[in-house]
Amino acid sequence: MTPRNRGRLTVLADATQIARGLGDLFLNRAKSAIRERGAFCVSLAGGSTPRAAYELLAKEPLRDEVTWNDVFVFFGDERCVAPDDPRSNYRTARDAFLESIPIPAHNVHRMRGELPPQEGAADYAQTIRQNLGDSPRFDLVMLGIGKDGHTASLFPGTDPMTDDAQLVRATYSQETGTDRLSITPCVINNARTVVITAEGTEKAKAIATAREGDYNPTATPIQIVAPTDGELIWLIDHLAAGMLEKK
Ligand code: 6PG
């Protein structure tokens, strides 16, 4: 078995430091991608953890450091709800920063959660293929981790490699009772940089299992995250790191 890529772990003081670290990473990767390739393609994380970083990107100094015309925003996963639904990851990002920055509307590619799930998955796979080709390589994929070890919308109980080549998969969250859309591991692991953020005690067990437990991605899907030619960065706070042997 290939050695697991556990990535680079940074343990920060609190949620504020995570937001700053994530905002600075976004800016750093955006600048280098635009300098080197003329564009920055990013897949945003869902959930609540990244919101504070999104809000930092919506105001000075970070907002004015990015040439938003050259930024192309995608989503790593979505709840199968309308874009104005409070549960929508698109709405969270729109409200937190997309509507406050000078990014052209056509640079933002939301997952169409309002479609029937299988249709929504096929639709977004086509969107990714049209914009990044058949082997999409994001400059930055942002991820969170659930207390059950899920990431994006890859949940325990299903081998994360199932229909991996589809690029986007329809899944179901038992915890929230919602249909979901998620990019698949081949998309995540083809990225130049993957960053996982987590805060709080409730994530400590999942993080310890993910990084130090037996390798079983069906039980702990985030273990499948191992960029093949890229870097993996964890930005977590002390509470989320609380059950790690090695910090
Ligand atoms: C989602 C996510 C999911 C999230 C984790 C952490 O749509 O909920 O993409 O993978 O990142 O569940 O969520 P929190 O940041 O809210 O703890």
Side-chain angles (χ1 to χ4, degrees):
M1 186 181 82
T2 50
R4 278 160 59 183
N5 170 358
R6 288 184 175 78
R8 174 162 55 91
L9 177 71
T10 299
V11 180
L12 298 167
D14 54 26
T16 303
Q17 295 302 316
I18 291 174
R20 287 210 184 107
L22 187 55
D24 289 345
L25 180 68
F26 183 105
L27 179 61
N28 174 276
R29 293 305 185 275
K31 284 186 168 182
S32 54
I34 292 166
R35 186 176 57 247
E36 292 161 21
R37 292 177 294 280
F40 173 58
C41 296
V42 57
S43 172
L44 299 184
S48 57
T49 302
R51 191 181 300 136
Y54 295 159
E55 289 165 352
L56 288 179
L57 289 164
K59 55 191 179 193
E60 294 181 11
L62 295 187
R63 181 190 58 204
D64 300 342
E65 296 260 344
V66 183
T67 51
W68 294 103
N69 279 343
D70 302 321
V71 176
F72 300 87
V73 170
F74 297 78
F75 289 78
D77 72 321
E78 187 56 280
R79 292 83 182 274
C80 291
V81 296
D84 276 324
D85 188 301
R87 296 167 293 173
S88 163
N89 288 333
Y90 164 75
R91 174 171 163 172
T92 299
R94 183 198 66 192
D95 296 353
F97 87 115
L98 294 176
E99 66 184 4
S100 309
I101 57 176
I103 189 168
H106 56 75
N107 284 26
V108 179
H109 303 278
R110 70 176 183 87
M111 289 182 166
R112 295 202 294 167
E114 66 274 26
L115 295 176
Q118 294 299 341
E119 204 177 309
D123 175 76
Y124 207 68
Q126 188 180 14
T127 296
I128 290 179
R129 287 195 166 93
Q130 281 168 348
N131 287 277
L132 290 114
D134 288 339
S135 299
R137 182 163 167 77
F138 281 99
D139 296 298
L140 179 63
V141 169
M142 304 164 74
L143 296 173
I145 179 173
K147 56 186 183 223
D148 60 357
H150 80 257
T151 194
S153 283
L154 303 173
F155 295 103
T158 303
D159 177 351
M161 297 305 288
T162 304
D163 67 25
D164 189 35
Q166 302 306 313
L167 306 185
V168 183
R169 176 184 309 158
T171 66
Y172 182 75
S173 164
Q174 296 287 350
E175 186 186 348
T176 60
T178 51
D179 287 305
R180 300 286 193 95
L181 300 176
S182 182
I183 55 175
T184 58
C186 68
V187 177
I188 295 170
N189 288 331
N190 199 30
R192 288 185 173 83
T193 299
V194 178
V195 59
I196 300 167
T197 52
E199 61 200 48
T201 311
E202 70 165 13
K203 304 294 177 74
K205 186 170 187 306
I207 290 171
T209 304
R211 290 182 58 85
E212 299 172 349
D214 293 341
Y215 185 69
N216 179 0
T218 299
T220 307
I222 200 164
Q223 288 185 326
I224 204 71
V225 176
T228 44
D229 179 18
E231 61 178 327
L232 173 58
I233 297 168
W234 293 72
L235 295 178
I236 67 177
D237 69 3
H238 280 293
L239 295 174
M243 293 177 69
L244 284 173
E245 298 287 321
K246 302 186 197 75
K247 291 177 190 168

